[in-house]
Amino acid sequence: MQRAKKKYMEFKALNIAEFLHGTIEGDENISVNNVSKIEDGKPGTLAFLSNPKYERYIYETEASIVLVKNDFTPERAIKATLIRVDDPYQAFASLLDLYEQAKQLKSGIEQPSFIDPSATVGENIYFGAFAYLGQNSTLGNKVKIYPQVFIGSDVTIGDNTIIYAGAKIYDGSVIGSNCIIHAGAVIGSDGFGFAPRADGSYQKIPQVGNVILEDHVEIGANTTIDCSTMGSTIIRKGAKLDNLIQVAHNCEVGENTVMAALTGIAGSTKIGKNCMFGGQVGVAGHLTIGDDVKIGAMAGVSNNIKAGKTVLGAPAMDHDQALKSFVVYRRLPQMRDQLIDLQKEVTELKSKLNKQ
Amino acid sequence: MQRAKKKYMEFKALNIAEFLHGTIEGDENISVNNVSKIEDGKPGTLAFLSNPKYERYIYETEASIVLVKNDFTPERAIKATLIRVDDPYQAFASLLDLYEQAKQLKSGIEQPSFIDPSATVGENIYFGAFAYLGQNSTLGNKVKIYPQVFIGSDVTIGDNTIIYAGAKIYDGSVIGSNCIIHAGAVIGSDGFGFAPRADGSYQKIPQVGNVILEDHVEIGANTTIDCSTMGSTIIRKGAKLDNLIQVAHNCEVGENTVMAALTGIAGSTKIGKNCMFGGQVGVAGHLTIGDDVKIGAMAGVSNNIKAGKTVLGAPAMDHDQALKSFVVYRRLPQMRDQLIDLQKEVTELKSKLNKQ
Amino acid sequence: MQRAKKKYMEFKALNIAEFLHGTIEGDENISVNNVSKIEDGKPGTLAFLSNPKYERYIYETEASIVLVKNDFTPERAIKATLIRVDDPYQAFASLLDLYEQAKQLKSGIEQPSFIDPSATVGENIYFGAFAYLGQNSTLGNKVKIYPQVFIGSDVTIGDNTIIYAGAKIYDGSVIGSNCIIHAGAVIGSDGFGFAPRADGSYQKIPQVGNVILEDHVEIGANTTIDCSTMGSTIIRKGAKLDNLIQVAHNCEVGENTVMAALTGIAGSTKIGKNCMFGGQVGVAGHLTIGDDVKIGAMAGVSNNIKAGKTVLGAPAMDHDQALKSFVVYRRLPQMRDQLIDLQKEVTELKSKLNKQ
């Protein structure tokens, strides 16, 4: 079993330059174990300089290594070791990716853990201690299940998917490949459905559907996605949900739609693709939100929204109209005073006119 | 130990008709393993036709079996096998119930799990792997504790209650019978109470009370209910709380009150019975909300509400008043323009009058 | 291993009086196992009388023991045993503290649990069953890790910190001493960062930073704090966060700042010290909130706020202005009617004047 460290992998300038096909200026044996922004670089970290606006920081940075453009000409002495590359930002991003992949080298099945004899697991998986895999469930290849994850019965999880510690996947869920589910997320909890009885109490409506996450979906920490009453609650390919979001039963979230934290989507609402939701948005049930819709933070959506629209406010309005209404709202007390003044003036005018 | 599958239990038309005291028209050996809505029925599923508005779907549905009324007369050929019953919706609901019960056949104590020697457990319980039962705690009969649930010390859990994976029950909590607590819910965490010190820091006020859930309460995934400072935070009989709700210390939620997701109730607020709260509602502390109150989604309640009222908005207002104010709010920019126009006209009138 | 009970520790009046240096009036052998408010005292509980307003309750209380001031002179007979002290509230608070400390006597390492061989643990720790401590992580002295807690690799946790059941601490987190992290909280989940690709899909931006909680920080149940993209998301000394709060990547929360439940702070926002946030507040990203700022419940902050200000509303405004605007908002329909009336009057005046 291998587990990589987050912060203490050491890389030498020599090896980094080789990986990036860059050229070194300075100490080729200096090593780093983390990254930093150039403006707050610390010894032992690697930074990059891409935007000329930040050039002044390179003369003061404490970062040990800085990636710079091939044609960068310093105006003064630089303490850091430089690695010259074509595109410092791209190079930096590829280092981060490498770093992340190294972090994900965990593999093997830790003990104690629980894998039902009827479950099937792929090759090169990581299955952490105290994780649970229920009856007839299936894990694809290279899946990483962190400790204390619960996976119920009849769950399918595609290749390369990562489920972080303590996430809970209810029976019958279908999780695609290359998904990431963060700690504490709950997939497939019962939809909130109750039929009122004559005496004021409620009869639970069984929720026998499931949740489907398509490929490349990311679900944030402690986010909850309820199963459908019948059929499936669906999160389409490439959608990204932040932390503490609620998606109710029978909803559908379109491809590549992103939602910020604490947003709530009520039951049976269908959301299009490539939408962007700010934080703490609320969307009522049984609505249709078109493709490419943008919803500002804290907006309350109680009507369908056509494709391409941007809305704001609670209740949500067209973005420009919302801004205009809000500008006047801030000055409502003055406006009321003006109205009262005007009433007085008109009363005076009338009395004057009547006297004539 | 028995664990039922969510999706793959096969039932033949023959057996379903027998269970429902219905009569079959079509292939009595056709089998289904799931349910669907008639408008998106798939092979291998069972649907129902109750509302005549949906009749047109029965001629196209791919569902293998459809429940229909005894007196249903089709206008054209139907591919599906029909089962005729008195009330198709009721019959469908009873099938769902049966299905749910079958799903809940889990029993036995999985290993490894932790049951303190001083704890007491009833008959026919399910206690999942990696679940924890603390000192002097008691589980009733037929209780189902899913994997990775934490139950602290001195907790009492009534008969037939189901606690899903990873829910956390702090010391001293009292959970009634026939309750359902969903994955990741936290019952009994410390109330948020701090006394300011002279230096600006805070002294924690010990929270030595507990949480009481009465019978037939349902608590959604990742919902949190804090213990009382002293005495008990109480969720009364039959109340249903959706996902990601916060109930603070010393609150009381009345019988059969239902709350949608992401709602927050601040400390010491008492909520009556048979109330309905929309999603993302906020209620301030130390308030009294009467019985049968309805609070619209995203409302912010900062005052007591009398029994039977319906409120909306933040701050919350009477429902009708809120709608009226909002209608004008949308037209505020025009209203301001009208006011400015009017000011000009009055100024002109005055000058005209003065010239006379 | 010792685990204390929440509700059943019995204390005699004799021992309590000794601990408080008080004097007993009544049965010195009567015992209590819980505390109560004097107005709803029950047998077997201890209450206090500090505020004279509550004196009437002492004659009716069912509490077994009541703490009173040394100079308290009852007007009638009192059933409860009295303990006379200098300051009953202070005495009560010190009993609660004692009680809490007793509750925290858990110690030892329960089995099965998982401690990586490369991890280091201090003295007198409690490490619950099914808890996980990853590679190279360090626990200070007297740390209490409840069951099912996940602590990743390279995590440092200071002395006396308590982490309740099922909290999840990602790799590289740094937790100070005397912190409390409640059940289900997630520390260090990936920041929500994605770069759009030309085809509408998103490329995940690796989040290689971490989270730092300084000393005396308290984090509520199911609250989530994302790690920084680079560097650290920081919660400063003495800050207290309630349940279900989201703090996004690269944020900083100042010393002794308190936030109520369901609040969300978007990425890279810096919040000063000694601030107070109500529940369900939203703060946009990349903002600076000064010291001593107060933000009312449900406020939506989209601009920087200067030190010492109090704001309300969504979008947030100066507190007094917000209240004034809201008062007019409630009367908007009447105001519109007045405006329409005035328009008519002015039209009439004009026509009258034109006829002259």
Side-chain angles (χ1 to χ4, degrees):
Chain A
M1 191 182 339
Q2 295 177 295
R3 259 162 297 109
K5 293 182 257 177
K6 183 161 192 175
K7 314 211 89 50
Y8 307 114
M9 284 181 291
E10 293 277 343
F11 297 97
K12 284 190 176 179
L14 196 69
N15 308 120
I16 295 168
E18 196 174 349
F19 173 76
L20 298 173
H21 305 294
T23 53
I24 304 181
E25 229 168 281
D27 179 1
E28 69 179 26
N29 285 311
I30 199 165
S31 68
V32 292
N33 62 29
N34 207 339
V35 292
S36 62
K37 295 181 200 165
I38 193 165
E39 63 269 34
D40 44 40
K42 291 187 186 64
T45 66
L46 175 144
F48 71 97
L49 173 61
S50 186
N51 186 335
K53 274 206 318 189
Y54 288 84
E55 185 180 321
R56 61 194 162 110
Y57 293 112
I58 202 170
Y59 306 108
E60 300 153 15
T61 189
E62 295 288 315
S64 301
I65 303 175
V66 182
L67 308 182
V68 296
K69 281 190 193 160
N70 278 324
D71 61 0
F72 171 66
T73 318
E75 294 173 357
R76 308 190 256 132
I78 293 172
K79 206 174 121 192
T81 292
L82 303 185
I83 298 180
R84 294 179 176 279
V85 293
D86 282 347
D87 181 339
Y89 176 71
Q90 272 304 115
F92 186 76
S94 66
L95 284 179
L96 288 188
D97 275 345
L98 184 72
Y99 188 92
E100 277 293 292
Q101 285 163 27
K103 216 181 91 182
Q104 298 300 343
L105 280 181
K106 280 168 175 285
S107 68
I109 298 179
E110 292 178 350
Q111 295 300 342
S113 55
F114 184 105
I115 298 183
D116 191 277
S118 63
T120 316
V121 306
E123 292 180 2
N124 296 314
I125 67 158
Y126 167 59
F127 197 81
F130 318 122
Y132 185 102
L133 183 62
Q135 218 177 14
N136 296 312
S137 288
T138 307
L139 303 184
N141 296 323
K142 299 189 188 169
V143 162
K144 295 190 183 0
I145 304 298
Y146 276 70
Q148 300 140 344
V149 164
F150 170 79
I151 300 169
S153 304
D154 304 300
V155 173
T156 307
I157 295 180
D159 294 347
N160 304 310
T161 284
I162 301 172
I163 305 185
Y164 284 102
K168 309 297 173 199
I169 318 293
Y170 277 57
D171 294 358
S173 300
V174 177
I175 314 285
S177 60
N178 297 294
C179 291
I180 298 176
I181 298 176
H182 280 283
V186 176
I187 309 296
S189 37
D190 282 357
F192 195 63
F194 301 93
R197 295 197 194 93
D199 66 355
S201 72
Y202 289 92
Q203 165 84 38
K204 183 176 176 69
I205 298 171
Q207 305 287 314
V208 303
N210 72 343
V211 171
I212 296 174
L213 306 188
E214 294 187 350
D215 299 343
H216 297 282
V217 165
E218 185 159 342
I219 303 293
N222 285 345
T223 280
T224 60
I225 303 180
D226 281 351
C227 75
S228 200
T229 312
M230 289 186 272
S232 302
T233 303
I234 304 177
I235 313 294
R236 296 273 177 218
K237 193 177 166 180
K240 313 289 183 189
L241 275 58
D242 199 357
N243 299 347
L244 293 169
I245 287 173
Q246 152 75 351
V247 178
H249 51 179
N250 316 319
C251 284
E252 183 175 328
V253 174
E255 259 186 60
N256 299 322
T257 281
V258 295
M259 289 186 190
L262 288 159
T263 284
I265 312 296
S268 300
T269 283
K270 308 287 176 216
I271 295 166
K273 57 187 180 184
N274 299 109
C275 295
M276 298 181 72
F277 286 34
Q280 294 171 316
V281 163
V283 182
H286 297 274
L287 298 183
T288 300
I289 310 298
D291 296 344
D292 301 298
V293 165
K294 291 186 175 54
I295 303 183
M298 291 187 135
V301 177
S302 48
N303 292 295
N304 294 337
I305 304 180
K306 286 190 184 148
K309 299 276 281 181
T310 300
V311 302
L312 258 192
M317 293 186 275
D318 171 77
H319 174 268
D320 295 346
Q321 186 190 7
L323 289 184
K324 282 180 195 155
S325 280
F326 183 69
V327 166
V328 184
Y329 178 80
R330 292 173 71 98
R331 307 195 64 252
L332 267 187
Q334 294 94 311
M335 193 167 147
R336 182 201 45 197
D337 292 347
Q338 290 166 350
L339 182 63
I340 292 168
D341 288 349
L342 207 54
Q343 284 175 322
K344 284 183 197 150
E345 290 183 55
V346 169
T347 306
E348 280 169 29
L349 278 177
K350 278 163 80 175
S351 102
K352 225 169 179 173
L353 201 58
N354 287 335
K355 282 180 193 157
Q356 288 189 329
Chain B
M1 191 181 339
Q2 294 177 297
R3 260 162 297 109
K5 293 182 256 176
K6 182 161 194 176
K7 314 212 89 49
Y8 307 113
M9 284 181 292
E10 294 276 343
F11 298 97
K12 285 190 175 179
L14 195 70
N15 308 120
I16 295 169
E18 197 175 349
F19 173 77
L20 297 173
H21 306 294
T23 54
I24 303 181
E25 230 169 282
D27 179 0
E28 70 178 25
N29 285 312
I30 199 165
S31 67
V32 292
N33 61 30
N34 207 340
V35 292
S36 61
K37 296 181 198 164
I38 194 165
E39 64 269 33
D40 44 40
K42 292 187 186 63
T45 66
L46 174 145
F48 72 97
L49 173 61
S50 186
N51 186 334
K53 273 204 321 188
Y54 289 83
E55 185 181 321
R56 61 195 162 109
Y57 292 113
I58 202 172
Y59 306 107
E60 299 154 15
T61 190
E62 295 288 315
S64 300
I65 302 176
V66 182
L67 308 181
V68 296
K69 281 189 192 160
N70 277 323
D71 61 1
F72 170 67
T73 317
E75 294 173 355
R76 309 190 255 133
I78 293 173
K79 206 175 122 192
T81 291
L82 304 184
I83 299 180
R84 293 178 176 279
V85 293
D86 282 346
D87 181 339
Y89 177 71
Q90 271 304 114
F92 186 75
S94 65
L95 284 179
L96 288 188
D97 275 343
L98 184 73
Y99 189 92
E100 277 293 291
Q101 284 163 28
K103 216 182 91 180
Q104 297 300 344
L105 281 181
K106 279 168 175 284
S107 68
I109 298 179
E110 291 178 351
Q111 293 302 343
S113 55
F114 185 105
I115 298 183
D116 191 277
S118 63
T120 316
V121 306
E123 292 180 3
N124 296 315
I125 67 157
Y126 167 60
F127 197 81
F130 317 123
Y132 185 102
L133 184 61
Q135 218 177 14
N136 296 311
S137 288
T138 307
L139 302 184
N141 295 323
K142 299 189 188 167
V143 162
K144 294 189 182 6
I145 304 297
Y146 275 70
Q148 300 141 344
V149 165
F150 171 79
I151 300 170
S153 305
D154 304 300
V155 173
T156 307
I157 296 180
D159 294 347
N160 303 312
T161 284
I162 301 171
I163 305 186
Y164 283 103
K168 309 298 174 199
I169 317 293
Y170 277 57
D171 295 358
S173 300
V174 177
I175 314 285
S177 61
N178 297 295
C179 291
I180 297 175
I181 298 177
H182 280 283
V186 175
I187 309 296
S189 37
D190 283 357
F192 195 63
F194 302 92
R197 295 196 193 95
D199 67 354
S201 72
Y202 289 92
Q203 165 85 37
K204 183 176 175 69
I205 298 171
Q207 305 287 315
V208 302
N210 72 343
V211 171
I212 297 175
L213 306 187
E214 295 187 349
D215 299 343
H216 296 282
V217 164
E218 184 158 342
I219 302 294
N222 285 346
T223 281
T224 60
I225 303 181
D226 281 350
C227 76
S228 199
T229 313
M230 289 186 273
S232 302
T233 303
I234 304 178
I235 312 294
R236 296 273 178 217
K237 191 177 167 180
K240 313 289 183 190
L241 274 59
D242 199 356
N243 299 347
L244 294 169
I245 287 174
Q246 152 73 354
V247 178
H249 51 178
N250 317 318
C251 285
E252 183 176 327
V253 174
E255 260 185 59
N256 299 324
T257 281
V258 295
M259 289 186 189
L262 288 160
T263 285
I265 312 295
S268 301
T269 283
K270 309 287 176 214
I271 295 164
K273 57 187 180 183
N274 299 110
C275 295
M276 298 181 72
F277 286 34
Q280 293 172 318
V281 163
V283 182
H286 297 274
L287 299 183
T288 301
I289 310 298
D291 296 343
D292 301 299
V293 165
K294 290 186 175 57
I295 303 183
M298 290 188 137
V301 178
S302 48
N303 291 295
N304 294 335
I305 304 180
K306 287 190 185 148
K309 299 275 281 180
T310 299
V311 302
L312 258 192
M317 292 186 275
D318 170 78
H319 175 267
D320 294 346
Q321 187 190 7
L323 288 184
K324 281 179 196 156
S325 280
F326 183 69
V327 166
V328 183
Y329 178 79
R330 292 173 69 99
R331 306 194 64 250
L332 268 186
Q334 294 93 311
M335 192 167 149
R336 184 201 43 198
D337 293 347
Q338 290 166 350
L339 183 63
I340 292 169
D341 287 349
L342 208 54
Q343 283 174 323
K344 285 185 196 147
E345 289 183 53
V346 169
T347 305
E348 279 169 29
L349 277 177
K350 277 164 79 175
S351 100
K352 224 170 181 173
L353 202 59
N354 286 337
K355 282 181 192 157
Q356 289 189 328
Chain C
M1 190 182 340
Q2 295 177 297
R3 258 161 298 111
K5 294 182 257 176
K6 183 161 193 176
K7 313 213 89 52
Y8 308 114
M9 284 182 291
E10 294 276 343
F11 297 97
K12 285 190 176 181
L14 196 69
N15 309 120
I16 294 167
E18 198 175 347
F19 174 77
L20 297 174
H21 305 295
T23 53
I24 304 182
E25 228 168 282
D27 178 0
E28 70 178 26
N29 284 311
I30 199 165
S31 68
V32 293
N33 61 29
N34 207 340
V35 293
S36 61
K37 295 181 199 165
I38 194 164
E39 64 268 33
D40 44 40
K42 292 187 186 64
T45 67
L46 174 144
F48 72 97
L49 173 61
S50 187
N51 187 335
K53 273 205 319 188
Y54 289 84
E55 185 181 321
R56 62 194 161 109
Y57 293 113
I58 203 172
Y59 307 107
E60 300 154 14
T61 190
E62 295 289 315
S64 301
I65 303 177
V66 182
L67 308 181
V68 296
K69 281 190 192 160
N70 278 324
D71 61 0
F72 170 66
T73 317
E75 294 173 355
R76 308 189 256 134
I78 293 172
K79 206 174 123 192
T81 291
L82 303 185
I83 298 180
R84 293 179 176 280
V85 293
D86 282 346
D87 181 339
Y89 176 71
Q90 271 305 114
F92 187 76
S94 66
L95 283 179
L96 288 188
D97 275 344
L98 184 73
Y99 188 93
E100 277 294 292
Q101 284 163 28
K103 217 182 90 181
Q104 298 299 344
L105 280 180
K106 280 169 175 285
S107 69
I109 298 179
E110 291 178 350
Q111 293 302 342
S113 54
F114 185 104
I115 297 183
D116 192 276
S118 63
T120 315
V121 306
E123 293 179 1
N124 297 313
I125 67 158
Y126 167 60
F127 196 81
F130 317 123
Y132 186 101
L133 184 61
Q135 218 176 14
N136 297 312
S137 289
T138 307
L139 303 184
N141 296 323
K142 299 189 188 167
V143 162
K144 293 186 185 3
I145 304 297
Y146 275 69
Q148 301 140 344
V149 164
F150 171 79
I151 300 169
S153 304
D154 303 301
V155 173
T156 307
I157 296 180
D159 294 347
N160 304 309
T161 283
I162 301 171
I163 305 186
Y164 283 103
K168 309 296 174 201
I169 318 293
Y170 277 57
D171 294 358
S173 300
V174 177
I175 315 284
S177 61
N178 297 292
C179 291
I180 298 175
I181 298 177
H182 281 283
V186 175
I187 309 296
S189 37
D190 282 357
F192 195 64
F194 301 92
R197 294 196 193 96
D199 66 355
S201 71
Y202 289 93
Q203 165 84 38
K204 183 176 176 69
I205 298 170
Q207 305 288 313
V208 303
N210 72 343
V211 172
I212 297 175
L213 306 188
E214 294 187 350
D215 300 342
H216 297 282
V217 164
E218 185 159 342
I219 302 294
N222 285 346
T223 280
T224 60
I225 303 181
D226 281 351
C227 75
S228 200
T229 312
M230 289 185 273
S232 301
T233 304
I234 305 178
I235 312 295
R236 296 273 177 216
K237 191 177 168 182
K240 313 289 182 189
L241 274 59
D242 198 357
N243 299 347
L244 293 169
I245 287 173
Q246 152 75 351
V247 178
H249 52 178
N250 316 319
C251 284
E252 184 176 326
V253 175
E255 259 186 60
N256 299 322
T257 281
V258 294
M259 288 185 189
L262 288 159
T263 285
I265 312 295
S268 300
T269 283
K270 309 288 176 213
I271 295 165
K273 57 187 180 182
N274 299 108
C275 295
M276 298 181 73
F277 286 33
Q280 293 171 317
V281 163
V283 182
H286 298 274
L287 298 182
T288 301
I289 310 298
D291 296 343
D292 302 298
V293 165
K294 289 184 176 56
I295 303 184
M298 290 186 137
V301 177
S302 48
N303 291 295
N304 295 337
I305 304 180
K306 286 191 184 147
K309 299 276 280 180
T310 299
V311 302
L312 259 191
M317 292 186 275
D318 170 77
H319 175 267
D320 295 346
Q321 187 191 6
L323 289 184
K324 282 179 195 155
S325 280
F326 183 69
V327 166
V328 184
Y329 179 79
R330 292 173 70 98
R331 305 196 64 250
L332 268 187
Q334 294 93 312
M335 193 168 148
R336 182 201 45 197
D337 292 348
Q338 290 165 352
L339 183 64
I340 292 168
D341 287 350
L342 208 54
Q343 284 175 323
K344 284 184 197 149
E345 290 183 53
V346 169
T347 305
E348 280 169 29
L349 278 177
K350 278 165 76 175
S351 100
K352 224 170 182 175
L353 202 58
N354 287 336
K355 282 179 193 159
Q356 288 191 328

